[in-house]
Amino acid sequence: MSQADAAAQVDTSKLPNVTDVTAANITEYVHQVNASCPDDRTRFIFKSMVQHLHDFVRETSLTSEEWMTAVKFLTDTGKISTDLRSGGPEFLHRASTLVDILNNAKPPNATEATVLGPFFTDDAHDIESGGGIASEDKGDYMYVYGKVTDTKGNGIPGVVIETWETDGNGLYDNQDPNRDGPECRGRIHAKPDGTYSYRAVVPVGYSIPGDGPVGRMVQVLNRHTFRPAHIHMMLKAKGYETLTTALYLKTDKFLGSDVVFGVKSSLAVDLEYVKDPKAALSRGFPQARPHHALHYDFVLATPEEGANAREKLTLAGGKA
Ligand SMILES: [Fe+2]
């Protein structure tokens, strides 16, 4: 189709006839142009986004140079993104934690959710409670155990805990270009009474990529690029909301300044140092040496309980 034919098919009769765009009328003009979007939710989101962005430009008296810096930043995030990086630090850095909080609010007595992060994979092996997720040379021994209950304290049967963590070098297995299978990750099947345990390694904190645009932006703001040591967990059970969360080591110096704002105090844990070397053997570790133990009991919410919590947050304007 020629350009002229394509142009002839466009109906301009319902568009606003604005030929003199000014600072005073541009926002309303954009609203009118977008008003024919047939999807209510999309139209609503775009109207609010345009309003806030235009207000932001006016409030800050944004210069052309500053605007081009922002455009270059977004261009660079696109250029540097890969399957691994695009899901995490480069694009999801700023708003994702707030989106996560608003969309995964739980009742006060249920375990809090936190960001999924970019390192989840769906190829973890199924492991019975009491098994191990890490090879022998991957880090210091850590034994993880506890119970999964409902909000009334009853053990939940059939819980599956997807868990993944860094090794002793602060790296996830999928950051290794020679990865040949899951390492330091597993799909733990808890016991019928909700109790669970597994052998892992003490996770080590890590920096988000410092060579990308987000890393550079964080440095411009005179902030560090580190996440405190943590172990990710995603708990699933029939009749309950999936809980995506993580447990953070209280001793980590970055606990209070996580670069992606994922830490919640209810998810910060102390490790018990178990000196008796025989205890490691009794928990299934191959060598008799001291180990660390992480005890955490999870509380899952039903879909109804979760929906009530999110409704309360919405009624509070997303600021409760
Ligand atoms: Fe992580």
Side-chain angles (χ1 to χ4, degrees):
M1 186 188 295
S2 71
Q3 290 291 329
D5 288 342
Q9 291 187 2
V10 177
D11 177 9
T12 58
S13 63
K14 290 181 183 149
L15 289 175
N17 186 23
V18 176
T19 54
D20 294 304
V21 174
T22 67
N25 69 15
I26 186 169
T27 305
E28 186 53 35
Y29 175 47
V30 176
H31 289 336
Q32 289 178 20
V33 168
N34 289 339
S36 59
C37 171
D39 183 78
D40 290 345
R41 179 68 180 163
T42 303
R43 194 171 64 248
F44 170 72
I45 289 170
F46 266 78
K47 184 173 182 182
S48 182
M49 182 178 71
V50 166
Q51 188 70 51
H52 282 279
L53 283 176
H54 283 197
D55 286 347
F56 166 75
V57 170
R58 291 185 180 98
E59 186 181 316
T60 59
S61 300
L62 201 71
T63 67
S64 298
E65 188 183 5
E66 289 161 346
W67 174 244
M68 288 314 296
T69 298
V71 170
K72 184 174 183 310
F73 171 80
L74 290 173
T75 305
D76 288 346
T77 58
K79 281 183 185 166
I80 204 166
S81 290
T82 62
D83 282 351
L84 194 57
R85 292 183 72 145
S86 65
E90 300 306 341
F91 273 129
L92 302 181
H93 189 66
R94 287 290 166 238
S96 64
T97 302
L98 178 58
V99 173
D100 177 76
I101 290 169
L102 296 177
N103 285 277
N104 293 292
K106 307 291 181 196
N109 54 344
T111 305
E112 291 189 276
T114 190
V115 288
L116 172 70
F119 297 109
F120 173 77
T121 67
D122 59 7
D123 64 350
H125 295 313
D126 287 288
I127 297 168
E128 288 304 312
S129 183
I133 66 166
S135 298
E136 176 61 9
D137 61 347
K138 285 298 170 182
D140 294 335
Y141 289 168
M142 182 171 79
Y143 186 73
V144 188
Y145 69 105
K147 187 171 185 179
V148 186
T149 69
D150 62 21
T151 56
K152 297 177 184 69
N154 304 307
I156 297 174
V159 176
V160 175
I161 305 174
E162 293 261 6
T163 183
W164 63 106
E165 62 166 347
T166 57
D167 62 14
N169 293 318
L171 291 171
Y172 289 95
D173 62 349
N174 51 352
Q175 291 176 291
D176 177 358
N178 300 315
R179 180 185 195 267
D180 56 6
E183 178 62 74
C184 294
R185 66 178 72 231
R187 191 178 299 119
I188 312 296
H189 291 258
K191 292 184 176 173
D193 65 355
T195 59
Y196 74 93
S197 65
Y198 60 96
R199 295 183 301 278
V201 294
V202 177
V204 170
Y206 56 88
S207 170
I208 64 166
D211 59 340
V214 169
R216 287 199 297 275
M217 179 185 72
V218 168
Q219 286 157 16
V220 164
L221 294 170
N222 199 26
R223 291 175 43 194
H224 67 75
T225 56
F226 283 86
R227 299 213 67 205
H230 56 275
I231 183 165
H232 293 273
M233 289 164 171
M234 185 192 292
L235 290 86
K236 296 180 180 179
K238 199 173 178 192
Y240 296 86
E241 287 193 334
T242 294
L243 171 66
T244 301
T245 192
L247 301 176
Y248 298 85
L249 302 195
K250 272 187 189 171
T251 50
D252 195 296
K253 66 185 277 191
F254 299 118
L255 187 75
S257 59
D258 180 5
V259 67
V260 303
F261 308 101
V263 175
K264 292 173 182 175
S265 58
S266 69
L267 302 175
V269 294
D270 282 313
L271 299 185
E272 179 195 1
Y273 186 59
V274 183
K275 286 183 185 167
D276 180 4
K278 288 181 195 154
L281 289 180
S282 72
R283 285 175 161 172
F285 289 108
Q287 294 183 42
R289 63 186 197 210
H291 68 279
H292 294 81
L294 190 173
H295 175 239
Y296 199 87
D297 296 330
F298 293 92
V299 179
L300 300 186
T302 64
E304 187 182 8
E305 289 169 334
N308 286 340
R310 287 185 288 281
E311 189 181 343
K312 272 187 192 162
L313 189 55
T314 302
L315 291 173
K319 292 181 178 176

